[in-house]
Amino acid sequence: MAEHEAERSGYDAVAAQQKWAKYWDEHRTFAVLDDESRERRYLLDMFAYPSGDLHMGHAEAWAIGDVVGRYWKMKGYNVLHPVGWDSFGLPAENAAIRNNAHPAEWTYKNIETQAASFRRYGIGFDWSHRLHTSDVEYYRWTQWLFLRFFEKGLAYRKDSYVNWCPQDMTVLANEQVKDGRCERCGTVVTKRQLNQWYFKITDYAQQLLDDMDQLEGGWPERVLAMQRNWIGRSQGAHVKFQVEGRDEPVTVFTTRPDTLFGATFMVVAPDAALADEIVSDAQRPAFEEYLEQVKKQTEIERQSTEHVKTGVFLGVHATNPVNGEQVPVWAADYVLADYGTGAIMAVPAHDQRDLDFARTYDLPVRMVIDTGEGDPAETGVATAGDGDYVNSGLLDGLATKAEAIDRINAQLEADKLGQAAITYRLRDWLISRQRFWGCPIPIIHCPDCGEVAVPDDQLPVRLPDDMRGEQLAPKGVSPLAANDAWKNVDCPQCGGPAVRDTDTMDTFVDSSWYFYRYASPQYTDGPFDVEAVKKWMPVAQYVGGVEHATMHLLYARFFNKVLRDMGMVDFDEPMLRLMNQGQVINQGKAMSKSLGNGVDLGQQIDEFGVDAVRTTVIFAGPPDEDIDWADVSPGSTLKFLQRAYRLAGDVTSPAGTPAAGGDRALRQATHRAIAEITELVESQRFNVVVARVMELVNATRRTIDSGAGGADPAVREAAEFVTQALSLVAPYVAEEMWEALGLPPSVAQSAWPDADPSLLVVDHVTMVVQVQGKVRAKLEVSPDISEAQATELALADAGVQRSLDGREVAKVICRLPKMVSIVPK
Ligand code: ANZ
Ligand code: ZN
């Protein structure tokens, strides 16, 4: 850095933050415009959870989103960039229990802290489009939507074994169990039979798959893959087996109906109602003892591959529908109650799980496809490939699965014994929670009328505000169940005594529809203004963590389809583009208290200023990659920002001076930067944007120092674009620069420039390549070629290679862009 530059002072980050945050607020700089002529763009950040103050993860996600929002605004779009909090949930409740308080106190205090931090962090929100899911004005509409689902049969209750966290004393959805443990507290999850509310997302399984076509290219491929996997479409057949002592046949799901002649026993999930129903009297005691044992197993144990499969004979037989054979029916832990039909035909010769089980319990193994790999009964290895069908009646003589499956399916269908079928791994969404701080389920249980919906005009069902501390502690049933005054009501249908449902909804219900309400957050006639949603949605860009790939993003898509079928929205998919930000880590590891490697956002801001932190976050790498804070340098970023800032102060031509006639090389550099940066922002390569701005800052400084000084109109043009581009990542210093350039505030509202095509023509210069002082090549190169590029080009030249004649290069001297001189050894 030149001496005179270092001496001069830079901008005062704290003063700039205070001044411009206030300015944006007072002037509603980022408010939605009442301007029908502009194209609308909806920028959505995933909800913040008010767990404390903002942290480095927030800093990254919101900095990335704001690049997009600020760019769109300068491009002239009418931008909706709302802000809100997903404010129901366990942490607030646990804090309330600890502090003998109401969860609302903790929640709203944290929200205000985060809101203040967001303002300081300079995110361009429209603060009038703000909401909190725990506000009664919000959750009354969550209840209203629940009731619409209920009317359509999409919300229902059933008894089932559910994932139970013994620590949090609440039910967990499958998605909230990670490796057999509670996602929140890490406790090993067990099973419990409970009566629970579900949303029937499985009705939409196929649509959720099909509509992914509309997201191709707009969503990260890995998120689509995770959703596809989660939905888990499996093509096969349903086959009916008659079971002793039961009128209705039992249906099994199989992906291999072609192996039906090799089915030597049948297995039912021990925890499926069917097992309890068909078990013989003689075997009942053994079965019940076994069931107890299975229930004690954790999901980890049950699904582990090392787990020795166990089971018990149910004392009944089934009839194989194609050959009339009597096969024993067992209950075994490797068959899951909630997949397929909860019952399987076991084909030990061609399914390894069945073979392992058959060998443990000495059940028959019959090979029906000869693949040439040896009889599984002897090898202990089930074969799954193609081969000649044997012992298989109508299939004998066939040689491929495809043919055999078609043949057997046709026969089963003709005999009404089965048919081709599709099964999904996706389960219905378990939404009831036995916790306090959530949206109450608006149902009343009447001894005479059953489940009665709370009438719309009696919404909201408010959470009581007289419960606090210990009263909220988990007890296995919802804390609300202990509140008689709240719970006991008259039945809306018959007027008799009845009780409210005391469960609350999974917070993922709250976050499945917030983006519609953002378009009209104060709307009082429904969950959202249908017309406003029509104008703003689908969301043009969604930004958030990849950890939401299956839960939130699947639920949100499901809600959209239900709302579409209700006629409330007119599009299939709520978010057209999705960007996942990486994580901020430190010293190669996720930040954690135990490692002591946490980086505090507030402290970083105090030390370097908002602009430097935001610019560092963006400059560190592509948005979807992790940032290791140990590898970045907010201090040098701040120096760069000061360097940029000083350009504005050095411009001496008045605002409005036409650039024509200014230094041509700098003008070309500026317009190349405009073209490239526009393209880079559009393709979300934000880190390279910062690199290009740095180059333009340097080029401008060179021009200033090399003669014309700050009076050259090309310097003003360059400094103005530097300011605009910088405002995407460093909004405060950019406002200061804009002001120093004599331009009216705010740079955020200025028009993004278009590159002048006549200045984009790349000039070429001739670069001479010498070997031992003799000219060996003349190459046409760009005037700003780097040493590395020049050396590479020179050494690749055939003439140069010939004169080197295999000798190694001792030295390359560059006098760019005119000459490269090579000295051989
Ligand atoms: C007979 C058979 C023969 C099977 C064979 C496979 C190979 P995917 O692909 O995951 O859908 N199955 C069905 N329901 C089950 C349940 N509730 N719990 C455990 N296993 C179950 O797997 C479908 C296959 O998994 C089905 O096809 C069934 O075993 C088993 F050579 O039926 B198969
Ligand atoms: Zn009633």
Short mmCIF file of all heavy atoms in Angstrom, two decimals, residues 41-60:
data_model
loop_
_atom_site.label_atom_id
_atom_site.label_comp_id
_atom_site.label_asym_id
_atom_site.label_seq_id
_atom_site.Cartn_x
_atom_site.Cartn_y
_atom_site.Cartn_z
N ARG A 41 -40.41 -9.71 -7.30
CA ARG A 41 -39.51 -10.81 -6.92
C ARG A 41 -39.62 -11.02 -5.43
O ARG A 41 -39.49 -10.07 -4.66
CB ARG A 41 -38.05 -10.47 -7.28
CG ARG A 41 -37.74 -10.50 -8.76
CD ARG A 41 -37.40 -11.92 -9.21
NE ARG A 41 -37.24 -11.98 -10.65
CZ ARG A 41 -36.06 -12.00 -11.27
NH1 ARG A 41 -34.95 -11.95 -10.58
NH2 ARG A 41 -36.01 -12.12 -12.58
N TYR A 42 -39.84 -12.27 -5.04
CA TYR A 42 -40.00 -12.61 -3.62
C TYR A 42 -38.74 -13.35 -3.17
O TYR A 42 -38.43 -14.41 -3.68
CB TYR A 42 -41.25 -13.48 -3.49
CG TYR A 42 -41.68 -13.89 -2.10
CD1 TYR A 42 -42.90 -14.56 -1.92
CD2 TYR A 42 -40.91 -13.63 -0.96
CE1 TYR A 42 -43.34 -14.96 -0.66
CE2 TYR A 42 -41.34 -14.02 0.30
CZ TYR A 42 -42.54 -14.69 0.45
OH TYR A 42 -42.97 -15.10 1.69
N LEU A 43 -38.04 -12.73 -2.23
CA LEU A 43 -36.83 -13.34 -1.65
C LEU A 43 -37.17 -13.82 -0.24
O LEU A 43 -37.63 -13.04 0.59
CB LEU A 43 -35.71 -12.30 -1.57
CG LEU A 43 -34.47 -12.71 -0.78
CD1 LEU A 43 -33.73 -13.86 -1.45
CD2 LEU A 43 -33.53 -11.51 -0.61
N LEU A 44 -36.95 -15.10 0.00
CA LEU A 44 -37.34 -15.68 1.29
C LEU A 44 -36.15 -16.35 1.96
O LEU A 44 -35.46 -17.17 1.35
CB LEU A 44 -38.44 -16.73 1.04
CG LEU A 44 -39.02 -17.46 2.25
CD1 LEU A 44 -39.82 -16.52 3.14
CD2 LEU A 44 -39.92 -18.61 1.77
N ASP A 45 -35.90 -15.95 3.21
CA ASP A 45 -34.89 -16.64 4.01
C ASP A 45 -35.63 -17.63 4.89
O ASP A 45 -36.72 -17.34 5.37
CB ASP A 45 -34.15 -15.66 4.93
CG ASP A 45 -33.58 -14.46 4.20
OD1 ASP A 45 -32.63 -14.64 3.45
OD2 ASP A 45 -34.11 -13.34 4.38
N MET A 46 -35.03 -18.78 5.13
CA MET A 46 -35.66 -19.70 6.07
C MET A 46 -35.77 -19.00 7.41
O MET A 46 -34.91 -18.21 7.79
CB MET A 46 -34.86 -20.99 6.18
CG MET A 46 -35.14 -21.92 5.01
SD MET A 46 -34.34 -23.51 5.23
CE MET A 46 -34.58 -24.20 3.57
N PHE A 47 -36.85 -19.33 8.10
CA PHE A 47 -37.13 -18.78 9.41
C PHE A 47 -35.94 -18.78 10.35
O PHE A 47 -35.18 -19.75 10.40
CB PHE A 47 -38.16 -19.68 10.07
CG PHE A 47 -39.54 -19.11 10.12
CD1 PHE A 47 -40.62 -19.97 10.26
CD2 PHE A 47 -39.78 -17.76 10.07
CE1 PHE A 47 -41.91 -19.49 10.34
CE2 PHE A 47 -41.07 -17.27 10.15
CZ PHE A 47 -42.13 -18.15 10.28
N ALA A 48 -35.86 -17.74 11.19
CA ALA A 48 -34.91 -17.78 12.29
C ALA A 48 -35.62 -18.40 13.49
O ALA A 48 -36.82 -18.22 13.67
CB ALA A 48 -34.46 -16.36 12.64
N TYR A 49 -34.88 -19.13 14.30
CA TYR A 49 -35.41 -19.63 15.56
C TYR A 49 -34.82 -18.75 16.68
O TYR A 49 -33.60 -18.59 16.74
CB TYR A 49 -35.08 -21.11 15.77
CG TYR A 49 -35.69 -21.56 17.06
CD1 TYR A 49 -37.05 -21.84 17.12
CD2 TYR A 49 -34.95 -21.59 18.23
CE1 TYR A 49 -37.66 -22.15 18.33
CE2 TYR A 49 -35.55 -21.89 19.44
CZ TYR A 49 -36.90 -22.17 19.48
OH TYR A 49 -37.50 -22.44 20.68
N PRO A 50 -35.65 -18.21 17.54
CA PRO A 50 -35.15 -17.23 18.52
C PRO A 50 -34.46 -17.86 19.72
O PRO A 50 -34.88 -17.70 20.85
CB PRO A 50 -36.41 -16.48 18.94
CG PRO A 50 -37.51 -17.48 18.79
CD PRO A 50 -37.12 -18.36 17.63
N SER A 51 -33.36 -18.57 19.48
CA SER A 51 -32.74 -19.30 20.59
C SER A 51 -31.75 -18.44 21.38
O SER A 51 -31.22 -18.88 22.38
CB SER A 51 -32.02 -20.53 20.06
OG SER A 51 -31.11 -20.13 19.08
N GLY A 52 -31.49 -17.25 20.96
CA GLY A 52 -30.53 -16.38 21.63
C GLY A 52 -30.24 -15.28 20.64
O GLY A 52 -31.11 -14.96 19.83
N ASP A 53 -29.05 -14.74 20.68
CA ASP A 53 -28.74 -13.71 19.68
C ASP A 53 -28.34 -14.39 18.37
O ASP A 53 -28.14 -15.60 18.32
CB ASP A 53 -27.61 -12.81 20.20
CG ASP A 53 -27.60 -11.45 19.49
OD1 ASP A 53 -28.33 -11.29 18.48
OD2 ASP A 53 -26.87 -10.56 19.94
N LEU A 54 -28.22 -13.61 17.31
CA LEU A 54 -27.78 -14.16 16.02
C LEU A 54 -26.36 -14.72 16.17
O LEU A 54 -25.57 -14.20 16.94
CB LEU A 54 -27.78 -13.08 14.95
CG LEU A 54 -29.12 -12.42 14.64
CD1 LEU A 54 -28.95 -11.44 13.48
CD2 LEU A 54 -30.19 -13.45 14.31
N HIS A 55 -26.08 -15.77 15.41
CA HIS A 55 -24.73 -16.35 15.46
C HIS A 55 -24.13 -16.36 14.05
O HIS A 55 -24.74 -15.88 13.10
CB HIS A 55 -24.78 -17.74 16.07
CG HIS A 55 -25.78 -18.66 15.44
ND1 HIS A 55 -25.65 -19.09 14.14
CD2 HIS A 55 -26.94 -19.20 15.91
CE1 HIS A 55 -26.68 -19.88 13.84
NE2 HIS A 55 -27.48 -19.95 14.89
N MET A 56 -22.95 -16.94 13.94
CA MET A 56 -22.25 -16.91 12.66
C MET A 56 -23.05 -17.57 11.54
O MET A 56 -22.96 -17.17 10.38
CB MET A 56 -20.87 -17.59 12.80
CG MET A 56 -19.88 -16.86 13.68
SD MET A 56 -19.58 -15.13 13.21
CE MET A 56 -18.78 -15.33 11.62
N GLY A 57 -23.80 -18.59 11.89
CA GLY A 57 -24.63 -19.26 10.87
C GLY A 57 -25.65 -18.31 10.28
O GLY A 57 -25.84 -18.26 9.05
N HIS A 58 -26.31 -17.53 11.14
CA HIS A 58 -27.25 -16.51 10.64
C HIS A 58 -26.49 -15.53 9.75
O HIS A 58 -26.97 -15.12 8.69
CB HIS A 58 -27.87 -15.71 11.79
CG HIS A 58 -28.75 -16.52 12.70
ND1 HIS A 58 -28.41 -16.78 14.00
CD2 HIS A 58 -29.96 -17.10 12.50
CE1 HIS A 58 -29.38 -17.47 14.58
NE2 HIS A 58 -30.33 -17.69 13.68
N ALA A 59 -25.30 -15.13 10.23
CA ALA A 59 -24.52 -14.11 9.51
C ALA A 59 -24.30 -14.55 8.08
O ALA A 59 -24.40 -13.76 7.14
CB ALA A 59 -23.19 -13.87 10.21
N GLU A 60 -24.02 -15.83 7.90
CA GLU A 60 -23.77 -16.30 6.55
C GLU A 60 -25.05 -16.36 5.72
O GLU A 60 -25.13 -15.81 4.63
CB GLU A 60 -23.12 -17.68 6.55
CG GLU A 60 -22.81 -18.07 5.12
CD GLU A 60 -22.20 -19.44 4.94
OE1 GLU A 60 -22.27 -20.26 5.87
OE2 GLU A 60 -21.67 -19.68 3.85
#
